[in-house]
Amino acid sequence: MNWLSKFFNQSDEEKRRYDTNDPTDRIRFRWGGRTQRELLHMRAHPTFHCPTKPADSMVLTEYCERMREMGMQLLRGISKSLGLEECYIENKMKLESGYNVFGPNYYPALSQSSDDKNQIGQFPHRDPGLLVLLAQNVGGGLQIEHQKKWLNADFPPSSIFVIVADHIEILTNGKYKSLLHRVALNSEVERMSLPFFFGPSLDVTVKPEPEFVDDHNPPSYRQMTYKAYLESNDHHVIEARANLNQIRL
């Protein structure tokens, strides 16, 4: 967290170095409008990219390596839970060259005015990829949708919250569901979240696999490469935007 705190507390001029629209970008910085949310997205695998300031970013490299190891183990467990070989998802999604993005978010403390109370810091959404591994510096903030109700997903800063993402749902033809979630801001404290987006290789065509399709369960999604999915609606590949509804059949 220390490196990220230093980055977000830098001058706006320094952070704007990464606020560009170059399609070759591997690092992107964004402001999030009224909530003053700040986002830093960094490509973490196959190669790791990081801003040059602050110095000493080795801790981020190690963190992303550990998150990648955790993601691989979780996906092996999911494969086994489906009655398949533990490397099934790993091989189908070509995870040796999987596209991973580390995307820290910074939410400043809000004023105590009535206009700021119960403000949504990030509106309901699902995420692309296979899994999102989420850490944060304070408890609270994350909410998940369950049976048309929003529930607080409270977990301590020392833990990792695992979110099932779009491409697990596509691959399993809906057997696993991508999690709808949002962020409700805490007006009293700063919040920093550290999502690690664990995705397939960019060139993999993701579709409902034969093991999950039969006469009673036809394909529910059209096939698309992971790169095309990320870039749909004119989004940059590193922005990690979901597009699940647009590929439903």
Side-chain angles (χ1 to χ4, degrees):
M1 295 285 186
N2 188 47
W3 188 96
L4 293 170
S5 295
K6 290 179 179 178
F7 175 85
F8 288 119
N9 284 317
Q10 292 181 118
S11 68
D12 289 349
E13 180 181 5
E14 182 64 35
K15 290 181 286 190
R16 282 197 183 101
R17 293 175 54 196
Y18 304 101
D19 186 10
T20 72
N21 292 309
D22 186 337
T24 65
D25 290 341
R26 298 296 179 265
I27 304 168
R28 274 204 149 182
F29 176 79
R30 286 286 185 268
W31 273 276
R34 182 172 179 264
T35 64
Q36 301 179 30
R37 170 184 171 221
E38 297 182 16
L39 306 84
L40 175 65
H41 279 195
M42 298 170 277
R43 180 170 176 171
H45 189 83
T47 53
F48 182 77
H49 297 265
C50 181
T52 55
K53 294 180 180 180
D56 193 20
S57 61
M58 286 300 296
V59 65
L60 292 189
T61 305
E62 182 177 354
Y63 179 84
C64 289
E65 288 174 353
R66 295 291 179 88
M67 290 299 99
R68 180 170 165 76
E69 291 170 6
M70 182 184 296
M72 294 290 277
Q73 291 299 322
L74 287 167
L75 289 171
R76 288 167 184 164
I78 290 174
S79 292
K80 291 175 70 175
S81 78
L82 293 165
L84 303 167
E85 295 182 1
E86 72 170 10
C87 291
Y88 177 86
I89 295 176
E90 185 176 344
N91 293 334
K92 284 285 185 181
M93 299 292 98
K94 296 169 61 175
L95 295 186
E96 183 176 345
S97 58
Y99 186 77
N100 303 154
V101 171
F102 181 45
N105 296 270
Y106 170 74
Y107 301 88
L110 299 176
S111 69
Q112 295 299 311
S113 70
S114 59
D115 288 342
D116 288 329
K117 291 179 180 178
N118 302 316
Q119 190 172 151
I120 299 300
Q122 199 171 5
F123 286 96
H125 67 283
R126 296 178 176 86
D127 291 313
L130 301 166
L131 299 172
V132 181
L133 308 179
L134 178 65
Q136 59 185 23
N137 67 327
V138 294
L142 180 68
Q143 297 182 335
I144 62 174
E145 193 270 343
H146 179 66
Q147 296 182 347
K148 298 183 179 180
K149 294 182 180 180
W150 287 105
L151 306 177
N152 292 323
D154 294 329
F155 60 101
S158 58
S159 60
I160 303 293
F161 190 88
V162 180
I163 295 173
V164 173
D166 292 356
H167 288 76
I168 286 286
E169 178 168 336
I170 297 168
L171 181 147
T172 64
N173 200 31
K175 196 173 185 70
Y176 273 79
K177 298 294 186 183
S178 185
L179 181 65
L180 184 66
H181 54 288
R182 68 183 187 183
V183 174
L185 296 184
N186 186 324
S187 62
E188 299 177 356
V189 297
E190 296 178 338
R191 179 178 184 268
M192 197 178 303
S193 66
L194 282 65
F196 184 87
F197 300 91
F198 196 99
S201 177
L202 289 175
D203 64 358
V204 164
T205 297
V206 187
K207 64 184 187 302
E209 292 298 331
E211 291 84 351
F212 308 103
V213 175
D214 57 33
D215 292 341
H216 302 289
N217 299 282
S220 297
Y221 313 90
R222 60 187 175 91
Q223 66 181 27
M224 181 181 287
T225 67
Y226 189 49
K227 185 174 189 291
Y229 186 93
L230 293 175
E231 292 180 336
S232 58
N233 296 330
D234 296 322
H235 288 130
H236 190 286
V237 68
I238 204 170
E239 290 178 313
R241 299 291 183 89
N243 190 28
L244 191 60
N245 289 335
Q246 295 189 31
I247 67 168
R248 294 185 193 273
L249 294 175

